Amino acid sequence: MSHLVRCLLVMNSTPFVSRLIGLLLMCVSLCGVALAKDGPCDDEATESAKALYERFWSLRERGVMFGHQDALLYGHDWKYDGESDVKVVAGDYPAVFGWELGEIGLGKEESLDGVLFSKIREGIVWAHEKGGINTVSWHGVNVLTGGDSWDTSSKKVVASVLPGGEKEAEYRAVLERLAAFFLSVTDAEGQAVPFVFRPYHEHTGSWFWWGEKLCSEDEYTELWRYTVDFLRERGVHSMLLAYSSASGFRDEAHYLERYPGDGYVDLVGFDSYQSKWNHHAKYVKGVEKSFSIVAPFAEERGKLLIFAETGYESIPDEQWWTKTLWPLVDSYPVSYVLVWRNAHNQENHFYAPYPGQGSAEDFRAFKAMDRVLFLGDVTE
Ligand code: BMA
């Protein structure tokens, strides 16, 4: 099967070929045939991380989980004291809960988005105990310049934090805080709660200090492995790892140029947003092409496939959920699709509907689809 997919890949990636590849992979997935699936990439993964990994594989036969970033902490016009915009609009929580740890390395109480880390911890535990799946992103600070993730003023940041670099000690201090946070996320029995960690994302773009034009291939892969090894050495074995590039990669070689290795990755995917610039036709074509490249690789290596981040800011298209998003994720064995956050303090920065928002009705229709999985669908 993978041979056939490879032959198709050699052909130009037309929408037809892309859909054909998707169809073949869907058949493989729905027949429950996993080509290579060895368990989590961490040999010392906790029982709960192994269970999460197995759950991912069995759920992918049932459909695509819907995820929302920061769903429980705030919404379009509330912070802390709400339920989740998704739940209020559609009657159920997302199946996948995204969280963001930006600025945890500074030892502050609040994240870059003004959220208490203690609330993030509580939210992760709550979601896990309700049967949801947690995924954590990290817009880490630039320890060389003192700036944020988007500070690309220096091409030496990655080299500076690696062993022998001038900021090695500072980066280790950041990692100590990150490890301490992960180890502190425990359930009622004191067991570490399993989660997906998705560090150093969108690295095929150049808007973060770890981006393509800001460091070499070796520096990037070393940054990834060094970070993961550090966390593992500190005893963090409750995590699965997700590798997600920006969209727009040319081919498999480009996608894998900075891949840290099978021992450091469990889930593979990419981020892509529809926008005024990345308009409908362009977005759809780009996402189809990205899936047609990543999905065969995922299948061959036994990695889970995700649409790690997407959305259409302010959702100006009232049928975006059923007419644009669903056909894209329905064509491939995608484990989950996650839309970005509903900021409580930026009027137009939202990616899931809130009550009364124009796409709310279509979102309910999306939720009602057989293969779309919300929290209630993955816990029944
Ligand atoms: C970005 C935006 C920012 C936010 C960051 C981390 O895409 O939502 O406002 O700070 O994600 O959550």
Side-chain angles (χ1 to χ4, degrees):
M1 174 65 77
S2 66
H3 211 72
L4 179 55
V5 168
R6 291 218 160 263
C7 293
L8 286 167
L9 272 174
V10 175
M11 295 161 70
N12 228 347
S13 188
T14 61
F16 172 73
V17 173
S18 164
R19 279 178 191 275
L20 195 58
I21 293 171
L23 198 69
L24 284 168
L25 293 174
M26 284 296 277
C27 292
V28 172
S29 147
L30 293 174
C31 295
V33 183
L35 299 180
K37 158 170 110 62
D38 301 329
C41 67
D42 179 359
D43 292 340
E44 294 178 60
T46 57
E47 288 308 313
S48 63
K50 287 185 197 159
L52 174 60
Y53 178 87
E54 288 304 328
R55 196 159 167 235
F56 261 121
W57 284 102
S58 69
L59 284 170
R60 103 177 180 146
E61 282 160 38
R62 300 217 347 241
V64 183
M65 291 185 275
F66 175 72
H68 187 209
Q69 183 76 0
D70 280 352
L72 300 177
L73 301 177
Y74 54 80
H76 184 59
D77 51 9
W78 58 274
K79 184 177 174 188
Y80 292 159
D81 57 352
E83 211 176 12
S84 151
D85 285 349
V86 166
K87 163 84 168 17
V88 176
V89 169
D92 195 3
Y93 292 99
V96 174
F97 295 81
W99 310 93
E100 166 60 42
L101 295 184
E103 296 192 359
I104 195 155
L106 299 179
K108 291 166 35 180
E109 291 197 336
E110 284 188 349
S111 74
L112 82 168
D113 295 323
V115 178
L116 287 165
F117 289 112
S118 57
K119 292 274 187 193
I120 297 178
R121 179 186 301 112
E122 278 171 29
I124 295 176
V125 174
W126 185 92
H128 172 68
E129 291 187 336
K130 292 281 181 227
I133 290 178
N134 292 293
T135 173
V136 176
S137 56
W138 185 32
H139 290 74
V141 292
N142 181 328
V143 295
L144 183 63
T145 64
D148 57 23
S149 285
W150 294 267
D151 180 352
T152 53
S153 58
S154 167
K155 292 188 173 174
K156 300 204 163 86
V157 191
V158 175
S160 80
V161 302
L162 292 172
E166 61 181 288
K167 293 292 176 186
E168 181 187 358
E170 282 85 342
Y171 188 57
R172 288 181 79 82
V174 163
L175 293 180
E176 290 290 2
R177 291 194 170 114
L178 185 64
F181 178 83
F182 285 150
L183 293 171
S184 76
V185 186
T186 51
D187 63 16
E189 281 78 50
Q191 298 300 313
V193 169
F195 62 97
V196 174
F197 185 37
R198 189 173 63 90
Y200 299 126
H201 62 304
E202 299 178 8
H203 60 287
T204 50
S206 295
W207 44 85
F208 296 131
W209 55 257
W210 55 86
E212 192 170 88
K213 294 197 172 73
L214 283 305
C215 60
S216 70
E217 289 166 28
D218 287 350
E219 283 166 351
Y220 180 83
T221 48
E222 203 183 335
L223 175 70
W224 184 291
R225 292 186 202 139
Y226 179 71
T227 301
V228 170
D229 287 342
F230 186 101
L231 294 171
R232 288 176 177 168
E233 276 160 25
R234 286 293 175 276
V236 181
H237 294 292
S238 45
M239 68 181 173
L240 303 181
L241 289 155
Y243 173 83
S244 66
S245 69
S247 61
F249 43 92
R250 295 178 297 277
D251 47 27
E252 189 184 87
H254 187 201
Y255 182 72
L256 295 179
E257 212 166 68
R258 288 158 194 243
Y259 183 70
D262 285 343
Y264 289 85
V265 174
D266 297 292
L267 304 92
V268 290
F270 57 92
D271 300 0
S272 179
Y273 288 86
Q274 185 171 334
S275 68
K276 215 186 288 176
W277 307 276
N278 198 22
H279 56 77
H280 182 264
K282 205 169 157 205
Y283 168 77
V284 167
K285 198 167 166 223
V287 171
E288 281 179 347
K289 178 174 176 191
S290 299
F291 272 131
S292 75
I293 293 168
V294 183
F297 168 77
E299 213 61 33
E300 192 177 291
R301 302 284 182 98
K303 304 297 177 191
L304 293 149
L305 178 66
I306 55 171
F307 197 177
E309 274 185 43
T310 192
Y312 190 2
E313 190 177 40
S314 303
I315 329 165
D317 175 349
E318 297 194 346
Q319 294 189 308
W320 192 76
W321 304 98
T322 57
K323 299 283 186 293
T324 299
L325 182 63
W326 180 242
L328 288 173
V329 292
D330 187 34
S331 307
Y332 286 91
V334 177
S335 284
Y336 73 76
V337 54
L338 179 138
V339 297
W340 205 242
R341 67 200 195 101
N342 282 14
H344 62 92
N345 52 1
Q346 294 175 57
E347 183 71 21
N348 299 319
H349 197 47
F350 64 87
Y351 296 86
Y354 53 85
Q357 200 275 330
S359 74
E361 199 180 320
D362 188 59
F363 187 66
R364 285 189 282 273
F366 168 72
K367 185 203 166 268
M369 290 174 148
D370 277 355
R371 294 190 62 256
V372 173
L373 309 175
F374 276 55
L375 185 63
D377 305 307
V378 299
T379 50
E380 63 195 12

